[in-house]
Amino acid sequence: LGVQVGLSVVLRAAAGLFAGSLGRALAVNPGFDADRVMAISIVNSRPPRTGAAAIELLGRLVERARTMPGVEAATVVWPRPLTNSGWNDVATVPGRPDIPEDQRLVDINVVGTQYVRTWGVRLIAGRDFDASDTAASEKVIMISETAEHRFFPNGGALGAQIGVEKNVLRRIVGIISDTKYRTLKTETGLVAYVPFTQANNSGYLSLRTSIPA
């Protein structure tokens, strides 16, 4: 699979289709629809890994991928789900000093627009990230259902703020269903999602296709 964006870029299927062998083998619900989804690493002789150049490259690749035959949705994701990788951070929750630090540890996903559609997760409230979420716009975040219940047991999560990554406050714009993060064996925990356009790292191009595995 190749996409020409003015750079010498090769798309290498790093994970392949999650469907088929993995999708049918899952005895535990991961919280997302793995059928017909692939995550693809981006290989370039000198790839921009961070900053504005990486954001621009990924954005152009996603837009081009969405025009390809058989592609129903495309996004950016990091890390790839269920690869036992990722990172976490202690969230800052304004107005909730009563929550112990060890109860505020959230796993962090970096994702793009169409994340909900591409990975088949359920949007419980609010919205997915969209084109208005840029490096220059207000910092935003989506959180998992478990995180909503932990941090906002009385409701009011949408529009509130939480801080991750050096305590940068982000406005909550969406609540999505719980998903497994690192492995199927780990308990569903607190998960936060930040837009790749507001993050300082690269990611994987992720596609949902119409092609059965």
Side-chain angles (χ1 to χ4, degrees):
L1 176 64
V3 178
Q4 179 63 40
V5 292
L7 294 172
S8 176
V9 177
V10 177
L11 301 183
R12 181 184 62 209
L17 284 170
F18 280 84
S21 59
L22 174 60
R24 287 187 290 269
L26 293 179
V28 178
N29 181 6
F32 56 82
D33 180 8
D35 188 39
R36 296 179 288 110
V37 174
M38 63 170 66
I40 302 170
S41 62
I42 301 168
V43 181
N44 179 34
S45 57
R46 289 186 296 176
R49 298 293 185 184
T50 62
I55 291 172
E56 180 183 6
L57 172 61
L58 280 169
R60 293 168 70 184
L61 285 171
V62 167
E63 290 303 316
R64 181 66 180 272
R66 289 172 180 166
T67 69
M68 296 174 61
V71 174
E72 295 181 344
T75 191
V76 173
V77 63
W78 194 93
R80 287 175 292 153
L82 307 182
T83 55
N84 201 27
S85 62
W87 92 94
N88 52 33
D89 193 15
V90 176
T92 300
V93 186
R96 293 300 311 276
D98 57 304
I99 306 177
E101 184 173 297
D102 63 352
Q103 298 296 308
R104 292 185 280 114
L105 190 64
V106 298
D107 289 315
I108 299 175
N109 274 328
V110 175
V111 302
T113 60
Q114 292 192 4
Y115 170 75
V116 168
R117 180 181 176 191
T118 303
W119 282 92
V121 298
R122 183 165 55 94
L123 183 65
I124 295 172
R127 65 171 177 85
D128 198 351
F129 297 138
D130 60 34
S132 68
D133 301 316
T134 68
S137 67
E138 180 183 30
K139 297 293 187 290
V140 294
I141 195 168
M142 297 190 294
I143 60 174
S144 65
E145 190 173 13
T146 293
E148 177 197 22
H149 294 163
R150 176 73 55 80
F151 300 148
F152 305 94
N154 298 318
L158 283 181
Q161 291 182 308
I162 65 171
V164 295
E165 296 184 295
K166 300 181 180 179
N167 295 322
V168 174
L169 289 177
R170 292 177 174 271
R171 186 81 58 189
I172 299 172
V173 297
I175 312 294
I176 63 176
S177 56
D178 289 334
T179 64
K180 297 291 185 179
Y181 183 73
R182 297 177 188 271
T183 72
L184 287 173
K185 296 180 180 179
T186 56
E187 292 295 322
T188 301
L190 311 177
V191 183
Y193 302 81
V194 300
F196 88 93
T197 51
Q198 297 179 353
N200 191 35
N201 62 280
S202 187
Y204 294 89
L205 175 63
S206 182
L207 309 176
R208 173 170 293 279
T209 75
S210 59
I211 304 170

